[in-house]
Amino acid sequence: MSTVAVRLAGERVSFAAHPRSVLVGLILAATALAATLAALVLGDITLPVGRVVQVLLGRGTGLDRLVVLDWRLPRALLALTVGATLGMSGAIFQAVTRNPLGSPDIIGFSTGATTGTLLVVLTAAADFSLRAPAAFAGGVVTVAITWLLTRGGSRAGLHLVLVGIAITAILTSVNRWLLLRADSDTALAASRWILGTLDGVGWEATLPATGLGLILCVATAAQARHLRIVALGDDLSTSLGVSPRRGTAVLVVLGTLLVAVATSVAGPIGFVALAAPHLARRLTGDGDVGPVTSALMGAALLSLCDLATGRLLPDLPVGVVTASLGGLFFVWLLTRELRRR
């Protein structure tokens, strides 16, 4: 299928759309919304779809409103938000590093964000307004260390991945040490969070995280053209009029912020950022890493995993499920990458 140019508002806004990518995006969006609706319907108290819709339209009984609005909707919205931000962040880092393994959870940025969050959670009853900046600071420090350690090697090759795995191992040890120093109640709560979970979230975390995540996703989507150009390499970027240094800096900041938002509310949910861009690229048949399609894929993946975990194994953090499935995906991807060399 050929690319179609779309012009809006008297050609003041224009973009290119690939029909197959648009179709895949619509299917992924429908899948994510269907999983969200199922999460609102199913549970210890099963509600018919019609009663859920009534509540969403501002009607319904008091019990229905309590179940849907207070118990289930915050978690379902957060699954969409965290999945979308992780998927879009993965698309950014895989494009910037020009490495299919260059995911934030592989090269240590997610673990760095976790360390930053743990530092404030274990020292104070920190809410989202403190956890988000702490997660961003942890991610930025990790980015800086990774960039310094890869200065003499390739930032687009296996060198980056190996450095990232080493940093992840070190920070994981630091996180365990922080947990050992905390009192038993705080450490127990943080231990479950550090596995990646959406349990117990309320509107106080869901609203700011969803709002900030939406703003960051829109800002990243606006950089989609630069993302494609930066992924071509420094020489081609310069020849096309895009400064690779400035373009990379903007994208890395956006990617780190996206990871920070997800980690600050749900902990380190692994491998969504790695798998979502790959799966999206395979479905669209597009050689580039599309940030919007990756975000939709991430939202659909995490919503489905959280739905299955919450209904089948309610005591199991969703991060354990994504990490287990993603680990198999990572082994296949790493093996495939090594065979190509």
Side-chain angles (χ1 to χ4, degrees):
M1 295 182 184
S2 59
T3 301
V4 177
V6 179
R7 295 180 174 84
L8 303 172
E11 299 191 359
R12 287 193 296 273
V13 178
S14 64
F15 58 91
H18 194 286
R20 179 170 169 176
S21 298
V22 173
L23 178 61
V24 170
L26 291 174
I27 292 173
L28 290 175
T31 302
L33 291 177
T36 301
L37 181 60
L40 299 180
V41 169
L42 302 175
D44 293 336
I45 301 176
T46 300
L47 298 175
V49 174
R51 286 167 58 181
V52 171
V53 173
Q54 289 288 321
V55 171
L56 296 178
L57 294 176
R59 297 189 285 270
T61 66
L63 178 60
D64 289 353
R65 293 175 63 82
L66 176 68
V67 171
V68 174
L69 298 181
D70 292 344
W71 293 355
R72 297 178 181 171
L73 189 56
R75 177 170 177 157
L77 281 180
L78 204 57
L80 290 174
T81 301
V82 172
T85 53
L86 289 177
M88 190 165 270
S89 176
I92 288 177
F93 283 109
Q94 288 177 23
V96 167
T97 61
R98 299 191 291 282
N99 189 325
L101 302 174
S103 167
D105 42 3
I106 299 298
I107 54 182
F109 300 164
S110 297
T111 312
T114 303
T115 304
T117 307
L118 270 180
L119 285 172
V120 298
V121 168
L122 296 180
T123 55
D127 58 13
F128 180 78
S129 62
L130 290 178
R131 294 201 307 264
F136 177 66
V140 167
V141 171
T142 309
V143 169
I145 293 173
T146 303
W147 243 242
L148 285 174
L149 292 177
T150 56
R151 187 168 52 184
S154 171
R155 289 170 181 162
L158 197 58
H159 186 201
L160 173 68
V161 176
L162 295 177
V163 169
I165 290 174
I167 290 177
T168 300
I170 294 171
L171 291 176
T172 299
S173 299
V174 171
N175 293 343
R176 289 174 180 169
W177 176 73
L178 290 173
L179 289 175
L180 287 175
R181 288 178 56 86
D183 63 78
S184 56
D185 291 339
T186 306
L188 184 62
S191 297
R192 185 172 178 80
W193 173 84
I194 206 171
L195 294 174
T197 180
L198 299 173
D199 293 346
V201 294
W203 287 111
E204 72 282 357
T206 300
L207 279 180
T210 302
L212 185 56
L214 182 61
I215 292 172
L216 291 171
C217 285
V218 171
T220 303
Q223 297 289 324
R225 176 177 172 271
H226 285 179
L227 188 67
R228 289 175 181 270
I229 293 176
V230 167
L232 297 175
D234 293 353
D235 293 339
L236 280 175
S237 296
T238 304
S239 65
L240 292 172
V242 174
S243 169
R245 179 172 298 182
R246 185 168 60 247
T248 299
V250 171
L251 291 168
V252 167
V253 169
L254 286 171
T256 307
L257 281 170
L258 288 163
V259 171
V261 169
T263 304
S264 62
V265 291
I269 293 183
F271 290 101
V272 174
L274 172 71
H278 284 282
L279 295 175
R281 188 164 48 224
R282 286 180 172 277
L283 287 178
T284 60
D286 192 348
D288 296 325
V289 183
V292 176
T293 317
S294 298
L296 293 171
M297 177 61 79
L301 281 178
L302 190 56
S303 295
L304 289 171
C305 285
D306 188 53
L307 175 66
T309 305
R311 304 302 170 262
L312 300 178
L313 299 167
D315 293 331
L316 189 67
V318 69
V320 176
V321 177
T322 61
S324 300
L325 296 175
L328 297 174
F329 183 78
F330 177 68
V331 170
W332 171 80
L333 194 63
L334 186 59
T335 305
R336 178 172 172 268
E337 181 71 11
L338 290 174
R339 285 177 177 171
R340 292 173 56 185
R341 296 175 182 276

